Amino acid sequence: MRIATYNVNSIHARLPSLQRWLQETAPDVACLQELKTPSEKFPEAAIRELGYGVIWHGQKSYNGVAILSKGCEPTEIRRALPGDPEDSHSRYIEAVVRDVTIGCLYLPNGNPAPGEKFDYKLRWLERLRVHAAELVGSSNAVVLAGDYNVIPTGNDVYKPERWVDDALFRVETREAFGRIVEQGWLDAIRHLHPDATIYTFWDYFRNAYGRDAGLRIDHLMLNAPAARRLKAAGVDRDVRGWEKPSDHAPTWIELED
């Protein structure tokens, strides 16, 4: 079972690339972030034509998340992260696909930091920690996949000294992420590739992709039952080099059935 996460950076702008990627790699589950479209304008028909069931939670111009499942319909559990009923951002959706619970998330960027946006990011991370604590002990496989906007360590960024004051790499961010990991979540990519230079995001500026000056901010976190089934993990790096790409590349895991 292949489960992927992909920040498309506008689903309408990247629809041809998304369709090509789905056709070429055929993931069983695809978690999408940053749809940048209201729910009523989500390209449902184009997704279903490729054989995917889909649920989504859109927002005009910003945010937006979706879960696609090949050959079946995702069973929706929730479409908002608990803990703040006033939060109107479309950043979380959760479903069961086959026997796996999938949480698809788009964590706030948080810049500029310090400031109001960074405070919101830290509150969101705390809400995620509380919700993740309820999921981690499930007897079924659980995968929390998405754009976390968190650089976990200096090994996950090109020239980390340039990022120490950025909201993605600030100590507060990494410590908050660490509190989630400590619950028992496994970082799939880093577990299988502990020493490799692996990035999932390259800025559009300064030829970042060509220089491989990237960040690893897209993560698939697994609870123990999912971790026991983990067989492979990787990044479809070449997708970032396609015409009019997202600044992220799809990141994936394979679980044994």
Side-chain angles (χ1 to χ4, degrees):
M1 185 177 186
R2 177 173 285 220
I3 301 171
T5 180
Y6 186 15
N7 180 321
V8 294
N9 190 17
S10 176
I11 194 166
H12 292 293
R14 317 298 169 204
L15 187 58
S17 291
L18 175 62
Q19 291 170 310
R20 176 183 170 186
W21 171 70
L22 290 171
Q23 289 174 318
E24 290 186 2
T25 65
D28 297 288
V29 180
C31 297
L32 308 182
Q33 302 89 39
E34 216 170 349
L35 305 178
K36 294 183 177 180
T37 189
S39 288
E40 63 271 18
K41 293 186 177 180
F42 182 85
E44 178 183 5
I47 301 299
R48 293 192 178 277
E49 284 175 3
L50 295 176
Y52 284 86
V54 59
I55 58 173
W56 67 93
H57 185 24
Q59 182 177 341
K60 183 179 180 180
S61 303
Y62 301 99
N63 308 320
V65 286
I67 298 176
L68 287 57
S69 57
K70 190 171 182 62
C72 65
E73 292 295 323
T75 301
E76 183 175 320
I77 300 173
R78 65 179 73 248
R79 56 175 50 221
L81 186 66
D84 185 0
E86 301 301 318
D87 187 359
S88 61
H89 289 197
S90 300
R91 293 185 176 273
Y92 188 83
I93 195 166
E94 186 177 306
V96 173
V97 179
R98 287 158 55 179
D99 62 340
V100 180
T101 298
I102 308 286
C104 172
L105 63 97
Y106 176 45
L107 210 142
N109 177 284
N111 281 304
E116 183 178 343
K117 291 184 177 180
F118 187 58
D119 293 341
Y120 172 62
K121 179 187 187 115
L122 295 180
R123 290 196 303 271
W124 211 95
L125 273 161
E126 175 58 17
R127 288 164 56 200
L128 179 61
R129 185 195 66 78
V130 171
H131 185 54
E134 298 179 359
L135 295 173
V136 70
S138 173
S139 59
N140 294 326
V142 182
V143 178
L144 295 179
D147 176 0
Y148 280 71
N149 271 315
V150 174
I151 303 168
T153 74
N155 293 331
D156 299 305
V157 56
Y158 178 80
K159 294 190 176 181
E161 66 274 9
R162 297 183 178 180
W163 291 83
V164 291
D165 293 322
D166 192 279
L168 279 64
F169 195 51
R170 285 181 67 100
V171 170
E172 303 97 317
T173 299
R174 288 182 282 142
E175 288 180 345
F177 180 74
R179 286 190 287 273
I180 297 172
V181 174
E182 288 168 0
Q183 295 173 342
W185 296 95
L186 183 78
D187 180 345
I189 288 281
R190 192 49 77 199
H191 177 72
L192 292 183
H193 308 283
D195 301 315
T197 298
I198 297 178
Y199 301 137
T200 65
F201 169 93
W202 298 261
D203 206 318
Y204 290 122
F205 304 106
R206 299 179 295 279
N207 190 34
Y209 179 68
R211 295 187 295 115
D212 199 25
L215 321 171
R216 191 176 73 92
I217 56 176
D218 301 271
H219 309 304
L220 294 111
M221 310 300 292
L222 283 55
N223 75 340
R228 288 193 291 269
R229 294 168 55 180
L230 179 64
K231 295 300 178 183
V235 179
D236 292 336
R237 187 186 187 281
D238 61 308
V239 176
R240 175 63 177 82
W242 291 356
E243 185 178 358
K244 296 181 179 179
S246 169
D247 40 11
H248 295 252
T251 307
W252 54 267
I253 58 171
E254 287 183 358
L255 301 182
E256 185 177 46
D257 287 334

